Amino acid sequence: MSVHASQPARTDAEVGDVAAYMIRLGQAARAAATHMRRAVTGDKNRALLAMADRLQSRRSDIIAANAADLARGRDNGLEPALLDRLALNDARLDAMVEGLQQVAALPDLVGEIEGMHFRPSGIQVGQMRVPLGVIGIIYESRPNVTLEAASLCLKSGNACILRGGSEARDSNSAIAACIREGLREAGLPEDAVQVVATTDRAAVGQLIAMPEYVDVIIPRGGKSLIERISREARVPVVKHLDGVCHVYIDATADAEKALAIAVNAKTHRYGTCNTMETLLVDAPVAEKLLPQLAAAYAEHGVELRGCERTRAILAGVVAASEEDWYAEYLAPVLALRVVDGIEAAIEHIERYGSHHTDAIVTENYGLARRFMAEVDSSSVMVNTSTRFADGFEYGLGAEIGISTDKLHARGPVGLEGLTTRKYVVLGDGQVRQ
Amino acid sequence: MSVHASQPARTDAEVGDVAAYMIRLGQAARAAATHMRRAVTGDKNRALLAMADRLQSRRSDIIAANAADLARGRDNGLEPALLDRLALNDARLDAMVEGLQQVAALPDLVGEIEGMHFRPSGIQVGQMRVPLGVIGIIYESRPNVTLEAASLCLKSGNACILRGGSEARDSNSAIAACIREGLREAGLPEDAVQVVATTDRAAVGQLIAMPEYVDVIIPRGGKSLIERISREARVPVVKHLDGVCHVYIDATADAEKALAIAVNAKTHRYGTCNTMETLLVDAPVAEKLLPQLAAAYAEHGVELRGCERTRAILAGVVAASEEDWYAEYLAPVLALRVVDGIEAAIEHIERYGSHHTDAIVTENYGLARRFMAEVDSSSVMVNTSTRFADGFEYGLGAEIGISTDKLHARGPVGLEGLTTRKYVVLGDGQVRQ
């Protein structure tokens, strides 16, 4: 079997007709997926470590390519935050190399058989974990996503088609070269990881409309991008929409824990999806806790927007509007509401939340149990910060994203989310009566 | 909390505007799902057994309603096969009652926590099995599906909206009354199971386009219905497309097992999705086995369509066309092909199969392992009949359908496929550093 493919297109001229180009990528990915499904763990790990070596030896090429992206970005008036996400430096390259080594060290789930048992008919039935097949990943400016996504798809035995942002074109191309060489060195098909060479938007439209070549789409980016892809895709999408996360401080809460958690969940990082956006405080402790919370938030420069009962306790707090309860601020802003007990807290979370991550702070056993059972979010927490909702913190070893979907993968998605299970049935000639 | 709803609409006049009616059903289902998520196992089982009691005591009403459907069906020129699927009699009602008792006896998966473990940060992380929420089921003439679907959704803690075929309108309505009474008796919300009262096709269009009220759609019926629903749905669909199943008889196969399996996989039932449609025979044993197979199939009146190499051995066999390799006959017809070893067999299955169920017959350890690993189908079998691909045969205790999708549920779908897992995180005040 030949695992060497022709050199991929690099320019729009080489790409030619975008739809036809994407179909070629799809066909090549499907063929590569057949090889990848059979790839042994050792070869996959060898490819990952070879990529890490190339990343090291090509460091200056990658930084130079990135410099070209950054120069173009500055010329195009890219915002400083985006330029920062785009930038690669020695520290970020070191992290990328380390990431590859970590993925190589993760256990290979492919081929795991669970639940094998005999049935009265004499057949033996279980389920084997297998790759999904071809994964399309659509993302924005951060070029390290190219490597992260490629490494996770590779380790889980999938082929992938990566479509990064146009801002990172040169960086992605330089990284893609390292990936292909790593695959080749390990004797794996180079087309197992293909980076879309054109920045034409039609490429995305085609990628999400080829169920014959692509098994699942994972979009990473802003909500509007993800909503558009979900609406238009003809391929299943594993998606992350928004994170309107809550902490509910119950009357029985330990005040010290409550303060620490409420402050950490809001101020540890503002722009992340697992950051708390609304804090709910049980009425009996509002008078005592709200002033302490307000003082702590004031230290961090967090703007508070409160309900009427909050404002009766905290003078000068801006009134929260209905939109505030739905808001994912991603900023040093917090909505505050005084509620009457867990029932009202759960009702609020159900009505305004995004089913991402919600936490209760309580010392009451029954309320902790009830919150865990009744709150319908991808992560439900007791006495800890919503900021822990993360693949690394959960011990997945890696994270391709956080799913707010209910089907297939929910919450942080690691290698397992890139696989599926098929039934395996062993017999000795049994037939059905 | 009130769990008693107003009497549901029963006629098109009571339904009024179809889109508005479906939205009302969706809202009621969403509210019921919140209650069902919290329902304890005992109440769910009590509801199932109360339904069984009602089914017993209302037996004559149900048979009378079914007689009205049958009479209308005959007037409308319904085919005999469809009339047979529509008919309810004492034996079928007994089976329905028994089905309810079996579902009541199944373990409740809701709330199961798996993998709870401590992380270096001190938090404890695991995953809890929880209901999906609201399930929309669209099906055709068999009225017993109404009860099966309702019982599985109920046991798994979901609310459901059931849209049956117009042919079974009166039967479904009589069964729905038993379901509602069973729910009421157990103190569960009656809207946990709603049967769409209108036969207007616009109801389906609305049902599959309300992601705010419906979490997943499960269509059961012909391929064209399912393809249309998948194309148009704005809600995730768990679907079963076609079953182009293969048996590959390897040169090392035990001839007796091979014959028994090849005959059973084709002739046990012709109209089922797990029936073999193409038989692949390894070249070294073709000359010996094909005449024996042909004789066995002749006894069952199975028409054979063969490749050139098959026809060189079996005179008088019709030539298979390219379409035959793709065909799901659902009839006493079999495509036959002589192949050169496992590589060619897997290539054939990959190219023409539907990734449903495929089996190898072999005594060779390495080939069995290879077939299991490399064939990308929802069920992969060694030395047994494809007819075993079934929720009951696999020990799921029940089956809502067979999924040919890769994401979420693959193969026979039982209670587990109607649930999802959320992360639960327990702490003692931990915050992220």
Side-chain angles (χ1 to χ4, degrees):
Chain A
M1 75 179 76
S2 164
V3 293
H4 292 259
S6 56
Q7 193 59 26
R10 286 176 177 269
T11 64
D12 280 346
E14 283 171 36
V15 164
D17 177 73
V18 171
Y21 166 71
M22 292 305 293
I23 289 171
R24 285 200 304 278
L25 292 194
Q27 290 168 332
R30 182 59 79 207
T34 303
H35 290 264
M36 287 305 297
R37 197 158 70 222
R38 307 167 185 181
V40 298
T41 310
D43 287 343
K44 293 190 284 191
N45 290 344
R46 226 175 336 272
L48 290 164
L49 297 176
M51 287 174 199
D53 286 346
R54 298 294 163 142
L55 226 56
Q56 293 284 29
S57 61
R58 296 280 186 81
R59 192 174 275 256
S60 56
D61 297 354
I62 296 168
I63 302 240
N66 186 247
D69 284 335
L70 287 170
R72 207 175 51 248
R74 275 187 291 266
D75 289 349
N76 294 340
L78 223 55
E79 284 177 38
L82 283 179
L83 284 172
D84 177 58
R85 296 174 68 193
L86 178 55
L88 292 178
N89 51 32
D90 273 324
R92 286 190 178 174
L93 275 168
D94 286 346
M96 287 162 71
V97 167
E98 202 188 322
L100 285 169
Q101 290 161 344
Q102 282 170 355
V103 173
L106 287 175
D108 189 350
L109 305 178
V110 173
E112 270 190 11
I113 297 180
E114 293 171 346
M116 206 74 194
H117 66 293
F118 278 100
R119 296 290 306 151
S121 60
I123 62 172
Q124 210 179 351
V125 180
Q127 285 177 290
M128 183 193 279
R129 197 159 282 288
V130 292
L132 284 171
V134 177
I135 299 175
I137 300 183
I138 299 162
Y139 52 102
E140 291 175 338
S141 54
R142 290 196 307 126
N144 44 340
V145 172
T146 304
L147 200 74
E148 271 174 40
S151 65
L152 294 175
C153 290
L154 165 60
K155 181 76 184 216
S156 53
N158 293 286
C160 62
I161 300 175
L162 308 178
R163 156 68 189 220
S166 56
E167 324 80 55
R169 198 181 61 201
D170 292 340
S171 314
N172 286 340
S173 171
I175 294 167
C178 297
I179 295 173
R180 290 183 78 87
E181 288 170 23
L183 287 163
R184 190 191 309 149
E185 207 172 306
L188 293 175
E190 292 180 35
D191 290 337
V193 179
Q194 296 178 97
V195 173
V196 176
T198 174
T199 56
D200 190 325
R201 284 189 155 218
V204 171
Q206 184 64 37
L207 181 61
I208 65 176
M210 311 192 291
E212 57 280 40
Y213 304 125
V214 179
D215 294 296
V216 60
I217 292 286
I218 303 180
R220 290 178 54 161
K223 191 178 176 184
S224 68
L225 168 81
I226 293 173
E227 279 181 334
R228 198 180 66 239
I229 286 171
S230 304
R231 209 168 39 239
E232 294 170 9
R234 287 187 47 228
V235 175
V237 176
V238 172
K239 64 180 172 298
H240 173 276
L241 283 175
D242 40 8
V244 181
C245 303
H246 300 78
V247 172
Y248 164 58
I249 302 177
D250 169 63
T252 69
D254 175 287
E256 207 172 311
K257 291 179 195 166
L259 271 169
I261 290 167
V263 170
N264 184 263
K266 182 71 231 178
T267 68
H268 183 255
R269 271 182 72 186
Y270 294 112
T272 48
C273 60
N274 55 17
T275 296
M276 168 180 68
E277 303 291 12
T278 296
L279 175 61
L280 304 170
V281 180
D282 202 4
V285 289
E287 207 136 358
K288 179 185 158 219
L289 286 184
L290 282 179
Q292 298 176 43
L293 286 161
Y297 287 128
E299 267 182 49
H300 287 88
V302 174
E303 177 194 336
L304 303 180
R305 302 189 187 167
C307 68
E308 281 315 304
R309 293 163 83 179
T310 300
R311 295 175 72 218
I313 297 166
L314 296 178
V317 163
V318 180
S321 67
E322 183 75 1
E323 288 86 65
D324 280 301
W325 309 127
Y326 288 109
E328 185 181 21
Y329 298 118
L330 301 171
V333 182
L334 177 69
L336 259 173
R337 185 169 210 169
V338 175
V339 295
D340 293 309
I342 191 172
E343 192 100 27
I346 293 178
E347 264 176 43
H348 180 101
I349 292 168
E350 183 114 349
R351 179 159 173 200
Y352 298 105
S354 66
H355 307 285
H356 188 298
T357 299
D358 299 291
I360 186 173
V361 189
T362 185
E363 294 299 318
N364 180 295
Y365 169 81
L367 294 184
R369 248 169 80 85
R370 198 172 155 196
F371 194 87
M372 273 171 64
E374 296 186 10
V375 171
D376 187 29
S377 300
S378 72
S379 287
V380 182
M381 300 182 166
V382 180
N383 289 351
T384 192
S385 167
T386 55
R387 283 283 296 137
F388 280 111
D390 173 284
F392 292 93
E393 293 295 337
Y394 284 1
L396 304 184
E399 181 186 288
I400 190 95
I402 293 187
S403 164
T404 55
D405 290 326
K406 285 187 171 180
L407 268 71
H408 188 65
R410 198 175 184 196
V413 181
L415 288 176
E416 187 181 305
L418 300 179
T419 63
T420 180
R421 293 186 305 172
K422 67 181 180 191
Y423 282 97
V424 288
V425 183
L426 303 181
D428 305 293
Q430 283 82 1
V431 297
R432 193 153 163 202
Q433 304 301 335
Chain B
M1 75 178 77
S2 164
V3 292
H4 293 260
S6 57
Q7 193 59 26
R10 284 174 178 270
T11 64
D12 280 345
E14 284 171 34
V15 163
D17 177 72
V18 172
Y21 165 71
M22 292 306 293
I23 289 171
R24 285 200 304 278
L25 292 194
Q27 289 167 332
R30 181 60 79 206
T34 304
H35 290 264
M36 288 305 297
R37 196 157 71 222
R38 307 166 184 182
V40 298
T41 311
D43 287 343
K44 293 190 283 190
N45 290 344
R46 229 178 331 275
L48 291 165
L49 297 175
M51 287 174 198
D53 286 347
R54 298 294 161 141
L55 225 58
Q56 293 283 28
S57 62
R58 296 281 186 81
R59 192 175 275 256
S60 58
D61 296 355
I62 296 167
I63 301 240
N66 186 248
D69 284 334
L70 287 170
R72 207 176 50 250
R74 274 187 292 266
D75 289 351
N76 292 341
L78 222 55
E79 282 176 40
L82 283 178
L83 284 171
D84 176 59
R85 296 174 68 192
L86 178 56
L88 292 177
N89 51 33
D90 274 322
R92 287 190 177 173
L93 275 168
D94 287 346
M96 288 162 70
V97 167
E98 204 188 317
L100 285 169
Q101 291 161 342
Q102 283 170 354
V103 173
L106 287 175
D108 189 350
L109 305 179
V110 174
E112 270 189 12
I113 297 180
E114 292 170 346
M116 207 75 194
H117 66 293
F118 279 100
R119 295 289 305 149
S121 60
I123 63 172
Q124 211 179 352
V125 180
Q127 285 178 290
M128 183 192 279
R129 196 160 282 289
V130 292
L132 284 171
V134 176
I135 299 175
I137 300 182
I138 299 162
Y139 52 102
E140 291 176 336
S141 54
R142 290 196 307 127
N144 45 341
V145 172
T146 305
L147 200 73
E148 271 174 41
S151 64
L152 294 176
C153 290
L154 165 60
K155 182 77 184 216
S156 52
N158 294 287
C160 62
I161 300 176
L162 308 177
R163 156 69 189 220
S166 56
E167 324 80 55
R169 198 181 62 203
D170 292 340
S171 313
N172 286 341
S173 171
I175 294 167
C178 297
I179 294 172
R180 290 184 79 87
E181 287 169 23
L183 286 163
R184 190 190 309 149
E185 208 172 304
L188 294 175
E190 293 180 35
D191 290 336
V193 180
Q194 297 179 97
V195 173
V196 176
T198 174
T199 56
D200 190 326
R201 284 190 153 215
V204 172
Q206 185 64 38
L207 181 61
I208 64 176
M210 311 192 290
E212 57 280 40
Y213 304 126
V214 178
D215 295 296
V216 59
I217 293 286
I218 303 180
R220 291 179 53 161
K223 190 176 175 185
S224 68
L225 168 81
I226 294 173
E227 280 181 332
R228 200 181 61 241
I229 286 171
S230 304
R231 209 169 38 239
E232 295 170 8
R234 288 187 45 227
V235 175
V237 176
V238 172
K239 65 181 173 296
H240 173 276
L241 283 175
D242 41 9
V244 181
C245 303
H246 300 77
V247 173
Y248 164 59
I249 302 177
D250 169 63
T252 68
D254 176 287
E256 207 172 310
K257 291 178 194 166
L259 270 169
I261 290 167
V263 170
N264 184 264
K266 182 70 229 179
T267 69
H268 183 255
R269 271 182 74 185
Y270 295 112
T272 48
C273 60
N274 54 17
T275 296
M276 168 181 67
E277 303 292 12
T278 297
L279 176 61
L280 304 170
V281 180
D282 200 5
V285 290
E287 205 136 355
K288 180 186 158 216
L289 287 184
L290 282 179
Q292 298 176 41
L293 286 160
Y297 287 128
E299 267 181 50
H300 286 88
V302 173
E303 179 195 334
L304 302 180
R305 303 189 187 167
C307 67
E308 282 314 305
R309 292 163 84 179
T310 301
R311 295 174 74 217
I313 297 166
L314 296 178
V317 163
V318 180
S321 67
E322 183 75 0
E323 288 85 66
D324 280 300
W325 309 126
Y326 288 109
E328 185 181 21
Y329 298 118
L330 301 171
V333 181
L334 177 69
L336 259 173
R337 185 169 211 170
V338 176
V339 294
D340 292 310
I342 192 171
E343 192 100 26
I346 293 177
E347 264 178 43
H348 180 101
I349 292 168
E350 183 114 348
R351 178 158 175 200
Y352 298 106
S354 66
H355 307 285
H356 189 298
T357 299
D358 299 292
I360 186 173
V361 189
T362 186
E363 295 300 317
N364 179 295
Y365 169 81
L367 294 184
R369 248 169 80 85
R370 197 172 157 196
F371 194 87
M372 274 169 65
E374 295 185 12
V375 172
D376 187 28
S377 299
S378 71
S379 288
V380 182
M381 302 182 164
V382 180
N383 289 350
T384 191
S385 168
T386 56
R387 283 284 295 137
F388 279 112
D390 172 285
F392 292 93
E393 294 294 338
Y394 283 1
L396 304 184
E399 181 186 288
I400 192 93
I402 295 186
S403 164
T404 54
D405 290 327
K406 284 187 172 180
L407 269 70
H408 188 65
R410 197 175 184 196
V413 182
L415 289 175
E416 188 181 305
L418 300 179
T419 63
T420 181
R421 292 186 305 173
K422 67 182 179 191
Y423 282 96
V424 289
V425 183
L426 304 181
D428 304 294
Q430 281 82 0
V431 296
R432 195 155 162 200
Q433 303 302 335

